PDB file of all heavy atoms in Angstrom:
ATOM      1  N   ALA A1033     -94.398 -15.055  -0.272  1.00  0.00           N
ATOM      2  CA  ALA A1033     -94.605 -14.618   1.114  1.00  0.00           C
ATOM      3  C   ALA A1033     -93.865 -13.317   1.405  1.00  0.00           C
ATOM      4  O   ALA A1033     -94.315 -12.519   2.237  1.00  0.00           O
ATOM      5  CB  ALA A1033     -94.147 -15.710   2.084  1.00  0.00           C
ATOM      6  N   VAL A1034     -92.761 -13.076   0.712  1.00  0.00           N
ATOM      7  CA  VAL A1034     -91.999 -11.835   0.923  1.00  0.00           C
ATOM      8  C   VAL A1034     -92.876 -10.643   0.579  1.00  0.00           C
ATOM      9  O   VAL A1034     -93.031  -9.710   1.380  1.00  0.00           O
ATOM     10  CB  VAL A1034     -90.693 -11.837   0.090  1.00  0.00           C
ATOM     11  CG1 VAL A1034     -90.011 -10.479   0.156  1.00  0.00           C
ATOM     12  CG2 VAL A1034     -89.755 -12.941   0.569  1.00  0.00           C
ATOM     13  N   ALA A1035     -93.463 -10.652  -0.612  1.00  0.00           N
ATOM     14  CA  ALA A1035     -94.320  -9.536  -1.038  1.00  0.00           C
ATOM     15  C   ALA A1035     -95.585  -9.463  -0.181  1.00  0.00           C
ATOM     16  O   ALA A1035     -96.045  -8.374   0.167  1.00  0.00           O
ATOM     17  CB  ALA A1035     -94.681  -9.685  -2.513  1.00  0.00           C
ATOM     18  N   GLU A1036     -96.122 -10.617   0.171  1.00  0.00           N
ATOM     19  CA  GLU A1036     -97.347 -10.646   0.960  1.00  0.00           C
ATOM     20  C   GLU A1036     -97.166  -9.965   2.321  1.00  0.00           C
ATOM     21  O   GLU A1036     -98.024  -9.223   2.779  1.00  0.00           O
ATOM     22  CB  GLU A1036     -97.783 -12.093   1.157  1.00  0.00           C
ATOM     23  CG  GLU A1036     -99.028 -12.262   2.000  1.00  0.00           C
ATOM     24  CD  GLU A1036     -99.364 -13.736   2.234  1.00  0.00           C
ATOM     25  OE1 GLU A1036     -99.014 -14.578   1.394  1.00  0.00           O
ATOM     26  OE2 GLU A1036     -99.963 -14.027   3.285  1.00  0.00           O
ATOM     27  N   HIS A1037     -96.043 -10.206   2.966  1.00  0.00           N
ATOM     28  CA  HIS A1037     -95.841  -9.693   4.322  1.00  0.00           C
ATOM     29  C   HIS A1037     -95.092  -8.365   4.377  1.00  0.00           C
ATOM     30  O   HIS A1037     -95.240  -7.615   5.349  1.00  0.00           O
ATOM     31  CB  HIS A1037     -95.103 -10.731   5.172  1.00  0.00           C
ATOM     32  CG  HIS A1037     -95.946 -11.910   5.510  1.00  0.00           C
ATOM     33  ND1 HIS A1037     -96.874 -11.903   6.516  1.00  0.00           N
ATOM     34  CD2 HIS A1037     -96.020 -13.136   4.933  1.00  0.00           C
ATOM     35  CE1 HIS A1037     -97.481 -13.071   6.569  1.00  0.00           C
ATOM     36  NE2 HIS A1037     -96.981 -13.843   5.617  1.00  0.00           N
ATOM     37  N   PHE A1038     -94.263  -8.067   3.359  1.00  0.00           N
ATOM     38  CA  PHE A1038     -93.417  -6.871   3.432  1.00  0.00           C
ATOM     39  C   PHE A1038     -93.544  -5.946   2.220  1.00  0.00           C
ATOM     40  O   PHE A1038     -92.989  -4.848   2.234  1.00  0.00           O
ATOM     41  CB  PHE A1038     -91.945  -7.268   3.627  1.00  0.00           C
ATOM     42  CG  PHE A1038     -91.696  -7.846   4.984  1.00  0.00           C
ATOM     43  CD1 PHE A1038     -91.798  -9.211   5.198  1.00  0.00           C
ATOM     44  CD2 PHE A1038     -91.403  -7.027   6.063  1.00  0.00           C
ATOM     45  CE1 PHE A1038     -91.601  -9.750   6.455  1.00  0.00           C
ATOM     46  CE2 PHE A1038     -91.201  -7.553   7.329  1.00  0.00           C
ATOM     47  CZ  PHE A1038     -91.304  -8.928   7.524  1.00  0.00           C
ATOM     48  N   GLY A1039     -94.214  -6.390   1.198  1.00  0.00           N
ATOM     49  CA  GLY A1039     -94.369  -5.565   0.006  1.00  0.00           C
ATOM     50  C   GLY A1039     -93.235  -5.747  -0.992  1.00  0.00           C
ATOM     51  O   GLY A1039     -93.455  -5.785  -2.181  1.00  0.00           O
ATOM     52  N   SER A1040     -92.018  -5.867  -0.488  1.00  0.00           N
ATOM     53  CA  SER A1040     -90.855  -6.062  -1.355  1.00  0.00           C
ATOM     54  C   SER A1040     -89.718  -6.675  -0.547  1.00  0.00           C
ATOM     55  O   SER A1040     -89.699  -6.590   0.686  1.00  0.00           O
ATOM     56  CB  SER A1040     -90.393  -4.734  -1.952  1.00  0.00           C
ATOM     57  OG  SER A1040     -89.830  -3.916  -0.942  1.00  0.00           O
ATOM     58  N   CYS A1041     -88.775  -7.242  -1.267  1.00  0.00           N
ATOM     59  CA  CYS A1041     -87.593  -7.793  -0.604  1.00  0.00           C
ATOM     60  C   CYS A1041     -86.798  -6.667   0.049  1.00  0.00           C
ATOM     61  O   CYS A1041     -86.274  -6.829   1.155  1.00  0.00           O
ATOM     62  CB  CYS A1041     -86.738  -8.555  -1.610  1.00  0.00           C
ATOM     63  SG  CYS A1041     -85.296  -9.353  -0.850  1.00  0.00           S
ATOM     64  N   ALA A1042     -86.718  -5.523  -0.634  1.00  0.00           N
ATOM     65  CA  ALA A1042     -85.976  -4.388  -0.069  1.00  0.00           C
ATOM     66  C   ALA A1042     -86.557  -3.975   1.274  1.00  0.00           C
ATOM     67  O   ALA A1042     -85.813  -3.746   2.236  1.00  0.00           O
ATOM     68  CB  ALA A1042     -85.980  -3.219  -1.044  1.00  0.00           C
ATOM     69  N   ALA A1043     -87.880  -3.897   1.372  1.00  0.00           N
ATOM     70  CA  ALA A1043     -88.509  -3.511   2.642  1.00  0.00           C
ATOM     71  C   ALA A1043     -88.196  -4.526   3.738  1.00  0.00           C
ATOM     72  O   ALA A1043     -87.937  -4.155   4.889  1.00  0.00           O
ATOM     73  CB  ALA A1043     -90.017  -3.366   2.459  1.00  0.00           C
ATOM     74  N   LEU A1044     -88.206  -5.802   3.387  1.00  0.00           N
ATOM     75  CA  LEU A1044     -87.876  -6.859   4.353  1.00  0.00           C
ATOM     76  C   LEU A1044     -86.420  -6.753   4.798  1.00  0.00           C
ATOM     77  O   LEU A1044     -86.115  -6.809   5.996  1.00  0.00           O
ATOM     78  CB  LEU A1044     -88.152  -8.223   3.733  1.00  0.00           C
ATOM     79  CG  LEU A1044     -87.661  -9.457   4.499  1.00  0.00           C
ATOM     80  CD1 LEU A1044     -88.174  -9.484   5.927  1.00  0.00           C
ATOM     81  CD2 LEU A1044     -88.081 -10.714   3.742  1.00  0.00           C
ATOM     82  N   LEU A1045     -85.515  -6.582   3.847  1.00  0.00           N
ATOM     83  CA  LEU A1045     -84.097  -6.445   4.200  1.00  0.00           C
ATOM     84  C   LEU A1045     -83.872  -5.225   5.080  1.00  0.00           C
ATOM     85  O   LEU A1045     -83.095  -5.281   6.038  1.00  0.00           O
ATOM     86  CB  LEU A1045     -83.240  -6.373   2.940  1.00  0.00           C
ATOM     87  CG  LEU A1045     -83.115  -7.666   2.141  1.00  0.00           C
ATOM     88  CD1 LEU A1045     -82.402  -7.405   0.824  1.00  0.00           C
ATOM     89  CD2 LEU A1045     -82.405  -8.742   2.944  1.00  0.00           C
ATOM     90  N   HIS A1046     -84.558  -4.125   4.765  1.00  0.00           N
ATOM     91  CA  HIS A1046     -84.412  -2.912   5.587  1.00  0.00           C
ATOM     92  C   HIS A1046     -84.838  -3.196   7.020  1.00  0.00           C
ATOM     93  O   HIS A1046     -84.132  -2.841   7.966  1.00  0.00           O
ATOM     94  CB  HIS A1046     -85.254  -1.764   5.045  1.00  0.00           C
ATOM     95  CG  HIS A1046     -84.977  -1.403   3.635  1.00  0.00           C
ATOM     96  ND1 HIS A1046     -85.833  -0.645   2.894  1.00  0.00           N
ATOM     97  CD2 HIS A1046     -83.952  -1.695   2.822  1.00  0.00           C
ATOM     98  CE1 HIS A1046     -85.350  -0.494   1.683  1.00  0.00           C
ATOM     99  NE2 HIS A1046     -84.200  -1.126   1.619  1.00  0.00           N
ATOM    100  N   GLU A1047     -85.999  -3.831   7.171  1.00  0.00           N
ATOM    101  CA  GLU A1047     -86.492  -4.094   8.521  1.00  0.00           C
ATOM    102  C   GLU A1047     -85.538  -5.010   9.288  1.00  0.00           C
ATOM    103  O   GLU A1047     -85.241  -4.768  10.462  1.00  0.00           O
ATOM    104  CB  GLU A1047     -87.895  -4.691   8.468  1.00  0.00           C
ATOM    105  CG  GLU A1047     -88.529  -4.740   9.841  1.00  0.00           C
ATOM    106  CD  GLU A1047     -90.039  -4.942   9.812  1.00  0.00           C
ATOM    107  OE1 GLU A1047     -90.696  -4.518   8.855  1.00  0.00           O
ATOM    108  OE2 GLU A1047     -90.538  -5.514  10.800  1.00  0.00           O
TER     109      GLU A1047
END
Side-chain angles (χ1 to χ4, degrees):
V1034 172
E1036 178 184 332
H1037 289 280
F1038 290 91
S1040 70
C1041 183
L1044 170 54
L1045 289 172
H1046 304 164
E1047 190 163 330

